[in-house]
Amino acid sequence: FIQMLKACVPAVTLFVMFCAGLERLDAKVLLGVAVLTIGTTLSAYGEIDFKWIGVVMMVTSEFCEAIRMAVLQYLLGNLKFELIEGLYWFSPASLACLFIGIMWLEMPAFVRENGVGKIMESPSLYICAALLGFLVNYLTLGVIKSTSGLTFKVLGQAKNTAVILISVMVFGSQVTSLQIVGYTISMAGFYVYQMAKMEQQKALESANLEMRSSSEQ
């Protein structure tokens, strides 16, 4: 059920981006996101154990993530921040939230199980994990800056589908007929979304060219 709710992330992100004035509610973009969401939901369909508290927490998480995408897109796209500048503003808030979560949920177990000692036993592994985390955040901002927060979330859903399809073809992983249909629909939705974004980009370039031509005259 969590995976089915997570399938709605692109739709939630589109809604937040539209409300923030960062995305236009183009019919083809909306269709692509809707088809992708339906396909991902079908591929994640299974036994549903419904709990209101879980649904509320999951929906809240999705809206918080969508708002984060909107803020990052505004900083990187509208204000033309560089990637390091984006990390400079984004990292302190992330550190504060992680610190609160660690102190509340993990610190007792960390102290009880001698967490510092475990880190000192294999410091290279933890340094490597930290560097990889930095690289992931840096590349995430790069994708958002060069495309958009919505495209980043759509790519994430398409990536999950592609990984599963490759796993089926290469490693023989078992999937149901309904999941195959869902994955196929997801890829079709991703294709529609990409075509719509390409049309938007061409229209924007044509408009900019016309404005430059008019100003030169």
Side-chain angles (χ1 to χ4, degrees):
F1 189 51
I2 290 176
Q3 295 301 319
M4 293 172 67
L5 288 175
K6 285 175 66 176
C8 299
V9 169
V12 173
T13 304
L14 175 60
F15 174 76
V16 171
M17 292 286 190
F18 172 72
C19 291
L22 298 173
E23 283 284 348
R24 291 181 297 166
L25 203 58
D26 183 86
K28 290 186 177 180
V29 171
L30 186 60
L31 176 62
V33 171
V35 172
L36 179 67
T37 300
I38 293 171
T40 309
T41 302
L42 284 175
S43 64
Y45 180 79
E47 182 179 354
I48 297 177
D49 185 13
F50 187 87
K51 294 290 189 300
W52 267 114
I53 183 65
V55 172
V56 170
M57 292 176 66
M58 192 66 196
V59 172
T60 302
S61 171
E62 291 182 0
F63 271 94
C64 288
E65 176 66 10
I67 292 171
R68 184 177 78 95
M69 288 292 105
V71 171
L72 289 176
Q73 182 171 324
Y74 180 74
L75 291 175
L76 298 170
N78 295 53
L79 298 184
K80 306 299 181 183
F81 277 30
E82 294 300 324
L83 302 186
I84 293 297
E85 289 180 298
L87 285 174
Y88 176 80
W89 288 100
F90 169 68
S91 298
S94 298
L95 177 62
C97 292
L98 287 172
F99 180 78
I100 294 172
I102 290 170
M103 296 302 295
W104 181 26
L105 300 172
E106 297 184 356
M107 184 55 70
F110 182 82
V111 174
R112 185 173 61 251
E113 298 174 7
N114 189 25
V116 175
K118 292 181 179 179
I119 293 174
M120 296 308 297
E121 289 176 1
S122 304
S124 59
L125 293 178
Y126 292 90
I127 293 173
C128 182
L131 291 175
L132 289 174
F134 169 80
L135 185 61
V136 167
N137 285 321
Y138 188 81
L139 292 177
T140 296
L141 296 186
V143 173
I144 294 172
K145 182 177 178 63
S146 59
T147 57
S148 69
L150 177 59
T151 298
F152 176 75
K153 286 302 173 185
V154 170
L155 283 171
Q157 296 287 7
K159 179 262 297 180
N160 293 338
T161 299
V163 168
I164 293 170
L165 291 176
I166 292 173
S167 177
V168 171
M169 292 185 291
V170 176
F171 301 107
S173 300
Q174 299 296 316
V175 293
T176 65
S177 299
L178 182 60
Q179 287 175 321
I180 293 175
V181 171
Y183 297 139
T184 304
I185 293 174
S186 296
M187 297 309 292
F190 177 68
Y191 175 79
V192 172
Y193 176 83
Q194 285 297 102
M195 292 298 103
K197 277 297 182 179
M198 288 175 63
E199 289 181 6
Q200 281 188 354
Q201 185 64 29
K202 289 180 180 179
L204 181 61
E205 291 175 356
S206 298
N208 291 336
L209 183 60
E210 290 179 2
M211 289 179 62
R212 284 196 293 268
S213 300
S214 299
S215 62
E216 291 175 356
Q217 294 175 356

